Amino acid sequence: MAEPPAADGRRRTSERSARYREREADGRRDKRLKVSYTDTELAIVREAAARDNQALAAWVGDAALKVATEKVVPVSVDARDLVAELIQSRNQASRIGNNVNQIAKALNADGTVTGAQLATTLDAIVKVLQRMDEATLQVMRERRPRS
């Protein structure tokens, strides 16, 4: 059973979240910063904070620190699409790798793999690697240099 709040309405120390206790151990956050948003921007930020089950100011502070310490790197919508392409290519390369293993197993067993099968698999490998290279280069071009 939870303890009732202290007389001043605050939660008791035993009830504080792990994150709050961790932050308190590092030093109390007493520096303030004013941030301004348009109504549309504020609605977006509020929605994100609610999605992460955080108070608005806590979410904004945590997000800013994550970006500043490079724990999170903001990317454009285009870059997200490119990352999705990289993930898809990686999955495809993995499937092709399985095919190559099956070809090697068949060749080692009795040599029943045809030249056409081998050529098709190698062609697929080259195409996947080209797509991965193109997407990787695009992400690298969009990434802002560190100062």
Side-chain angles (χ1 to χ4, degrees):
M1 186 172 186
E3 297 176 28
D8 62 3
R10 294 183 180 177
R11 287 189 266 166
R12 295 180 191 274
T13 304
S14 62
E15 294 180 33
R16 290 185 182 154
S17 69
R19 188 182 332 197
Y20 186 84
R21 287 190 303 270
E22 179 182 309
R23 189 176 77 200
E24 205 173 53
D26 290 341
R28 190 158 187 86
R29 288 184 178 168
D30 59 356
K31 306 299 180 234
R32 305 268 186 232
L33 177 69
K34 182 177 180 179
V35 181
S36 300
Y37 294 105
T38 65
D39 288 340
T40 304
E41 292 168 338
L42 182 59
I44 292 167
V45 174
R46 277 192 174 139
E47 183 178 316
R51 180 185 60 234
D52 292 346
N53 198 27
Q54 282 189 295
L56 182 61
W59 187 90
V60 170
D62 286 346
L65 280 173
K66 286 176 185 173
V67 170
T69 58
E70 296 183 356
K71 289 181 181 176
V72 172
V73 178
V75 294
S76 67
V77 172
D78 293 337
R80 272 186 259 155
D81 291 344
L82 288 168
V83 169
E85 173 76 16
L86 282 171
I87 291 168
Q88 182 182 13
S89 296
R90 183 178 176 274
N91 291 337
Q92 189 173 1
S94 177
R95 287 191 295 274
I96 292 170
N98 288 335
N99 291 345
V100 170
N101 286 338
Q102 290 170 359
I103 289 170
K105 183 178 178 181
L107 284 173
N108 288 332
D110 60 11
T112 58
V113 174
T114 67
Q117 289 172 315
L118 189 57
T120 300
T121 301
L122 293 175
D123 185 50
I125 292 169
V126 169
K127 286 180 182 174
V128 166
L129 292 176
Q130 286 172 340
R131 287 176 62 198
M132 290 174 71
D133 286 345
E134 290 167 8
T136 301
L137 289 172
Q138 184 64 34
V139 169
M140 289 170 64
R141 279 191 290 270
E142 284 197 9
R143 193 163 181 254
R144 282 183 263 150
R146 294 180 184 176
S147 6

